[in-house]
Amino acid sequence: MSDMNELVQRYLAAWNETDAAARQAVLAEVFADDAVYIDPLVSVQGRDGLDATIAAVQGQFGGLVFSLGGAVDTHHDIARFTWHLGPEGAEPVVIGFDVAKIGADGRISQVLGFLDKVPAGA
């Protein structure tokens, strides 16, 4: 997958996919086998760890959707972008910022995530 904007959109689609088998297919398309995902709440390696993380987030924030919060900024093999999590078309409940490193195969090898807005008690 050569277009980083498309890759980021597919990344967010993985976070929105509630069917486990379909989500695993998107993760295989978007993430390297040994990809690393780190944010303030979790650090996992591999697609299985990321899949479990996504399932947990969906359990906590059921019915909410991830969307791109602005333009994807890229250079070399790096993409950074803001994302929103909230009811579709409404004010986001959570806002985050991710930096993704893209491997030689065009898939994401590492994501470093930051949380800018989190509801109390989350």
Side-chain angles (χ1 to χ4, degrees):
M1 193 175 301
S2 60
D3 180 70
M4 284 210 215
N5 289 312
E6 180 183 343
L7 184 62
V8 169
Q9 289 291 353
R10 295 297 295 150
Y11 166 80
L12 293 174
W15 283 88
N16 286 324
E17 182 55 66
T18 57
D19 178 84
R23 183 174 57 244
Q24 290 169 357
V26 176
L27 289 173
E29 172 191 345
V30 173
F31 281 91
D33 296 341
D34 60 349
V36 174
Y37 177 89
I38 302 169
D39 72 20
L41 304 174
V42 68
S43 177
V44 297
Q45 182 168 2
R47 290 192 300 255
D48 288 343
L50 184 55
D51 182 53
T53 299
I54 292 171
V57 169
Q58 290 175 349
Q60 184 175 6
F61 295 101
L64 303 183
V65 295
F66 284 89
S67 61
L68 194 57
V72 178
D73 186 23
T74 66
H75 67 80
H76 297 87
D77 59 353
I78 305 291
R80 69 176 181 158
F81 54 94
T82 298
W83 51 264
H84 294 166
L85 175 62
E88 195 161 355
E91 183 72 21
V93 175
V94 181
I95 298 174
F97 177 88
D98 287 356
V99 177
K101 181 168 176 36
I102 314 307
D105 65 357
R107 294 185 295 169
I108 297 172
S109 62
Q110 182 181 48
V111 174
L112 304 174
F114 298 84
L115 299 173
D116 298 322
K117 175 185 173 186
V118 180

